[in-house]
């Protein structure tokens, strides 16, 4: 492999990393490189090369890779090791079904406990989405908006599962938002969600979330259909 073709060459490490920060720094750096496409789908991620690049032992590298695998950003393939996961999987529609269950439950637990500052934060994300043009940042703001509505749910395990689903979606949005042309419709949904949350109308919130997630299902179905049409 030449240096030019080395996908890790796009990753810049600024100086030595303190040992206790190694895992989170490696995780964050790789996550950003996967999300912005510097490490494309199918790229093999070698522990040794990473340990060398970051100037650390293999242990924090292994831990970081495990985290990214749990977030569905990496996959472990037999004989190949960890590779960057495909943008979307055939089971993505099932993932949406699960998301609706999990996020509806989070709304039930969280909405009654939301405070004024949570509503203001959610409003802030909607306003930021209104003016943001960078697709990567739009994906992040969308995730933060949704997480704000769930944040008071006391079940941290539930919130962690939800975050994984949202990160998966964030990655998809980053590459497909433009084609999906969903911006305006999604914002209407977001405003409606916030409105119902403020009114503490949980059932209306859940109904709105369902139609919001349905847009995602449609976009993904369309994406999978066009991918299939491209295959010989
Ligand atoms: Ni959304």
């Amino acid at each position: 492999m030449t240096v030019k073709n080395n996908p890790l060459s796009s990753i810049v490490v600024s100086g030595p990393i303190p040992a206790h920060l190694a895992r989170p720094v490696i995780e964050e750096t790789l996550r950003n490189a996967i999300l912005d496409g510097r490490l494309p789908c199918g790229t093999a991620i070698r522990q040794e090369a990473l340990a060398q690049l970051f100037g650390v032992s293999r242990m924090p590298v292994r831990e970081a890779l495990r985290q990214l695998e749990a977030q569905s950003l990496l996959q472990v393939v037999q004989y190949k090791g960890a590779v960057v996961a495909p943008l979307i999987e055939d089971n993505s529609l099932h993932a949406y079904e699960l998301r609706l269950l999990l996020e509806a439950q989070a709304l039930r637990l969280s909405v009654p406990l939301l405070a004024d500052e949570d509503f203001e934060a959610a409003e802030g994300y909607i306003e930021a989405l209104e003016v943001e043009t960078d697709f990567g940042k739009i994906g992040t703001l969308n995730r933060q908006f949704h997480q704000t509505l769930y944040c008071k749910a006391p079940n941290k395990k539930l919130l962690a599962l939800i975050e994984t689903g949202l990160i998966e979606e964030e990655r998809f949005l980053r590459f497909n938002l433009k084609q999906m042309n969903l911006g305006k419709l999604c914002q209407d949904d977001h405003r409606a969600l916030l409105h119902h949350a403020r009114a503490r109308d949980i059932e209306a919130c859940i109904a709105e979330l369902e139609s919001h997630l349905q847009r995602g299902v449609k976009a993904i179905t369309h994406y999978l259909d066009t991918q299939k049409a491209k295959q010989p």
Side-chain angles (χ1 to χ4, degrees):
M1 195 187 278
T2 65
V3 174
K4 201 174 156 220
N5 288 334
N6 179 0
L8 292 184
S9 63
S10 65
I11 292 173
V12 182
V13 181
S14 45
I17 308 168
H20 69 286
L21 289 177
R23 204 264 306 148
V25 166
I26 296 167
E27 184 187 330
E28 181 71 18
T29 308
L30 289 180
R31 183 189 300 113
N32 288 335
I34 293 171
L35 286 177
D36 67 20
R38 276 175 291 146
L39 294 177
C41 307
T43 306
I45 304 293
R46 309 215 181 284
Q47 291 185 16
E48 251 174 42
L50 284 173
Q52 222 171 39
L53 178 68
F54 287 94
V56 297
S57 73
R58 281 171 69 159
M59 198 164 73
V61 171
R62 204 160 30 223
E63 283 168 8
L65 297 187
R66 209 171 285 145
Q67 291 296 321
L68 295 167
E69 196 192 341
Q71 292 160 13
S72 302
L73 293 175
L74 290 182
Q75 267 179 353
V76 176
V77 177
Q78 213 177 0
Y79 306 121
K80 225 180 154 185
V83 299
V84 177
L87 198 53
I88 201 142
E89 308 231 45
D90 282 343
N91 63 12
S92 292
L93 297 179
H94 294 157
Y96 265 88
E97 280 172 23
L98 279 179
R99 278 190 54 194
L100 182 60
L101 287 177
L102 296 173
E103 293 181 34
Q105 178 62 7
L107 285 172
R108 281 191 191 97
L109 296 171
S110 176
V111 164
L113 302 174
L114 289 173
D116 283 344
E117 65 256 30
D118 300 317
F119 295 129
E120 275 154 32
E123 184 88 53
Y125 290 126
I126 292 177
E127 298 311 322
L129 278 164
E130 214 49 65
V131 292
E132 185 56 69
T133 53
D134 177 313
F135 291 117
K137 294 196 183 114
I138 289 173
T140 307
L141 288 167
N142 176 65
R143 170 167 61 80
Q144 289 169 325
F145 166 76
H146 287 276
Q147 284 181 308
T148 304
L149 296 186
Y150 310 144
C151 73
K152 289 286 157 69
N155 186 335
K156 298 299 166 223
K157 180 102 182 162
L158 175 68
L159 293 181
L161 285 172
I162 287 174
E163 180 164 39
T164 299
L166 282 165
I167 287 175
E168 255 176 72
E169 177 179 57
E170 185 179 337
R171 182 165 175 237
F172 180 75
L173 286 179
R174 219 172 253 240
F175 292 96
N176 292 281
L177 209 56
K178 204 174 177 177
Q179 295 91 306
M180 286 173 13
N181 216 354
L182 283 176
K184 169 83 178 72
L185 292 173
C186 283
Q187 281 286 75
D188 290 346
D189 295 350
H190 289 162
R191 287 183 202 287
L193 269 169
L194 178 57
H195 171 81
H196 296 313
R198 273 203 164 109
R200 316 276 178 192
D201 188 340
I202 295 174
E203 292 314 312
C205 261
I206 292 173
E208 190 59 47
L209 178 68
E210 182 162 12
S211 72
H212 187 54
L213 291 181
Q214 274 305 323
R215 295 191 205 286
V217 168
K218 264 196 207 139
I220 284 176
T221 308
H222 176 73
Y223 175 83
L224 290 173
D225 287 348
T226 41
Q227 292 300 103
K228 271 187 203 132
K230 274 187 207 159
Q231 277 163 16

